[in-house]
């Protein structure tokens, strides 16, 4: 078993969770996390946070909020283009 160590596992955790690292590094980090309670806990927190952010990014604002924001942007643009 190749143990990449806590420092490396934690440094690369976000990339690992998003599958943005090479297969060899991914395997090393997975092996380390599987055998390290501290890194398991940190990975769980990071995964939970990442999943929550991804879900929030998929949600759309209510239509009235969208209209108000767009109206505000257009008003601001109109003010700046007249200057």
């Amino acid at each position: 078993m190749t143990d990449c160590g806590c420092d490396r596992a934690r440094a690369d955790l976000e990339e690992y969770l998003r599958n943005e690292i090479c297969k060899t590094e991914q395997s090393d980090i997975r092996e380390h996390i599987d055998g390290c309670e501290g890194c398991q806990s940190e990975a769980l927190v990071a995964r939970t946070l990442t999943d929550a952010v991804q879900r929030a990014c998929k949600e759309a604002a209510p239509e009235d909020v969208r209209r108000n924001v767009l109206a505000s942007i257009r008003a601001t643009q109109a003010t700046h283009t007249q200057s």
Side-chain angles (χ1 to χ4, degrees), residues 35-79:
C36 178
E37 282 189 39
C39 288
Q40 285 175 14
S41 295
E42 191 159 331
L44 178 60
V45 169
R47 170 71 70 198
T48 302
L49 181 58
T50 298
D51 290 347
V53 169
Q54 287 176 344
R55 279 192 310 275
C57 290
K58 291 179 183 177
E59 295 179 15
E63 190 57 36
D64 60 328
V65 172
R66 290 171 45 87
R67 276 194 304 270
N68 290 340
V69 169
L70 288 172
S72 179
I73 290 170
R74 289 183 184 116
T76 301
Q77 287 174 334
T79 301

Side-chain angles (χ1 to χ4, degrees), residues 11-25:
D12 294 336
L13 186 58
E14 292 299 319
E15 290 83 6
Y16 168 78
L17 293 173
R18 292 188 307 261
N19 296 315
E20 295 176 350
I21 57 176
C22 75
K23 296 288 183 191
T24 302
E25 289 181 43

